[in-house]
């Protein structure tokens, strides 16, 4: 069996998290983690627990496909993550419409009171699905 892939949807307050099965077919959400001083320890624990080989990070591009301020913040986060967790492979995935897709899915399936807690990790699921789909093309 292969190793799993972790997806992160990096936000200023929270980070959405999802992981694949060992075959790289399905994407499963995990509870979001707080983007605080312990964030890299939390990510490292997830990497160790699920035997992650690759981390896929959503890169928030503008509608024109350009990098804006949030993309720069995300790239800085990844640089720091690579320093803290040096032996992990990191890939970027265009995440332009993942939040809107996640919001639509949650509106259709989840009570309003629970949506805010879930949106980041459902977005991470879409980021991971995008990456997994690109591997199987």
């Amino acid at each position: 069996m292969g190793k799993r892939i972790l997806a992160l949807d990096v936000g200023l307050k929270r980070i959405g998290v999802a992981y694949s099965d060992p075959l790289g077919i399905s994407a499963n959400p995990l509870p979001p983690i707080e983007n605080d001083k312990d964030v890299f320890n939390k990510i490292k624990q997830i990497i160790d627990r699920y035997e992650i080989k690759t981390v896929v990070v959503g890169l928030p591009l503008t509608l024109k496909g350009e990098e804006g301020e949030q993309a720069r913040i995300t790239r800085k986060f990844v640089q720091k993550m690579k320093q803290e967790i040096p032996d992990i492979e990191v890939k970027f995935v265009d995440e332009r419409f993942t939040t809107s897709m996640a919001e639509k899915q949650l509106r259709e399936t989840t009570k309003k009171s629970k949506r805010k807690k879930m949106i980041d990790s459902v977005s991470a699921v879409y980021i991971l699905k995008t990456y997994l789909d690109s591997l199987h093309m």
Side-chain angles (χ1 to χ4, degrees):
M1 291 214 170
K3 295 259 187 170
R4 295 170 194 221
I5 300 166
L6 184 71
L8 302 176
D9 181 24
V10 178
L12 297 176
K13 295 180 182 180
R14 283 179 309 281
I15 296 172
V17 184
Y19 69 98
S20 74
D21 66 294
L23 298 176
I25 297 170
S26 67
N28 308 289
L30 288 171
I33 56 177
E34 295 300 314
N35 192 350
D36 58 21
K37 64 181 177 63
D38 294 324
V39 69
F40 300 114
N41 289 329
K42 295 172 194 173
I43 293 170
K44 177 75 168 111
Q45 289 173 359
I46 294 168
I47 287 169
D48 292 344
R49 179 176 180 190
Y50 291 97
E51 299 179 338
I52 302 296
K53 71 170 182 173
T54 303
V55 177
V56 177
V57 179
L59 190 61
L61 302 175
T62 66
L63 290 177
K64 292 182 179 181
E66 299 168 347
E67 291 190 20
E69 182 61 25
Q70 190 58 43
R72 285 188 284 282
I73 290 168
T74 300
R75 285 194 182 276
K76 271 186 165 179
F77 178 90
V78 168
Q79 285 177 340
K80 178 80 171 146
M81 182 174 70
K82 285 180 176 180
Q83 291 172 351
E84 298 289 325
I85 312 168
D87 51 344
I88 195 75
E89 178 184 26
V90 179
K91 307 261 185 184
F92 287 102
V93 170
D94 179 355
E95 69 157 40
R96 271 182 275 189
F97 299 106
T98 58
T99 300
S100 60
M101 290 185 301
E103 286 172 346
K104 182 179 183 222
Q105 177 186 338
L106 289 172
R107 271 194 311 273
E108 293 171 359
T109 62
T110 309
K111 291 181 182 180
K112 190 174 185 177
S113 61
K114 294 185 179 185
R115 288 182 202 156
K116 188 174 180 178
K117 290 181 185 177
M118 299 173 68
I119 189 73
D120 299 305
S121 290
V122 173
S123 292
V125 166
Y126 279 105
I127 290 165
L128 183 53
K129 284 181 178 180
T130 299
Y131 179 75
L132 294 174
D133 288 348
S134 75
L135 295 178
H136 300 290
M137 290 182 153

